[in-house]
Amino acid sequence: MKSLTSGMARAATLLLILTLLSGCTLIKTGVALMHSRDAFVASKTNPDVRYLAGTSPEIAEQVTNRVAAAVKEGRGTVEKAHGAKFTHAPQIYICHADCFTRYVPVTVNEPAAQFGDSIFLNIDALLKREARGALPLEYILTHELTHLLLYQVAGPIAYARVPAWFREGIAQQVAQGAGASEFVTKPEAARMLLDGKHFDPAEVGSMLVNRTASSYKLTTPMFYRQALMFVDFLKASNPVAFDKALHDIVSGKDFHDSFKSAYGASIVSYWPAFIASITSLTVQPNTP
């Protein structure tokens, strides 16, 4: 029964997405959604975490054990930050890069993705990130859990209408910067922001078009770092209002209306103060 219910849910998700996408994106998404997940093996310690061993069974099992052990803490961190709870246990799928791209319409370099009501983790990309000195994969899990909680509680339509820059900014904030911002410094991002090369804070999320890094001709790490900096600024400006706005967004209310109601002003009105606050970051220290 659980397998049937899961299949029906994926079919419903597919139907929704197919009505909104076109061309190559539609094909990739449709194919990914229709792949059976029956071959995934449940973790011995957490049946909601599943994996495919692939060509490196030992490594796959090691990563799976780490993820299974981290889910409870990650859920707690995300629920506390949002003041809301997951509607049901997160379903997590883990496999190597070649498998990952069959189930998620992204590139082999992506370490993880929240895709519909599931999270997929790319073993190869996660371990490469750690080798580069990025935050451990447990933080990436928290990042994706942040996306998933919003998706579950707000619902897929309200979730899609939250601007991508905020979804990524809040996910990194909760996950202590994990995602991509580790590879771009604050001074680097500040210089781009001051040069006018940044996302649009007035962006209205949409199920049809939700602008991401490439839309603004930014790299993904730069887009993530800028988003995190602005979200951090908004929270520091008024923590109580920020928590209220986030609660309303998670409840499925309009993104910009939620901020205006909580802060008494539009989110765009905070942009000039944010830009002014980062000016000092570009100042180079005196060198001998």
Side-chain angles (χ1 to χ4, degrees), residues 48-120:
D48 295 316
V49 178
R50 301 175 178 84
Y51 73 103
L52 286 178
T55 57
S56 303
E58 185 176 341
I59 293 175
E61 189 167 1
Q62 288 174 354
V63 170
T64 299
N65 289 340
R66 287 177 61 181
V67 172
V71 171
K72 183 178 180 179
E73 182 176 354
R75 284 185 64 174
T77 297
V78 172
E79 290 177 341
K80 181 178 179 181
H82 288 72
K85 292 187 177 295
F86 287 89
T87 60
H88 51 278
Q91 301 299 303
I92 302 169
Y93 297 88
I94 305 168
C95 61
H96 291 281
D98 58 341
C99 154
F100 177 75
T101 54
R102 289 201 303 272
Y103 288 92
V104 190
V106 296
T107 70
V108 294
N109 297 318
E110 294 293 334
Q114 169 261 327
F115 188 48
D117 198 31
S118 304
I119 291 173
F120 286 85

Side-chain angles (χ1 to χ4, degrees), residues 1 13 20 27 34 77 84 94 107 111 114 118 136 142 157 185 190 193 196 199 201 223 225 229 238 258:
M1 178 61 71
T13 302
L20 300 171
I27 294 171
M34 294 309 293
T77 297
I94 305 168
T107 70
Q114 169 261 327
S118 304
T142 300
I157 294 177
T185 67
L193 284 157
F199 65 89
F223 178 66
R225 171 59 80 181
M229 290 168 67
N238 191 332
S258 295

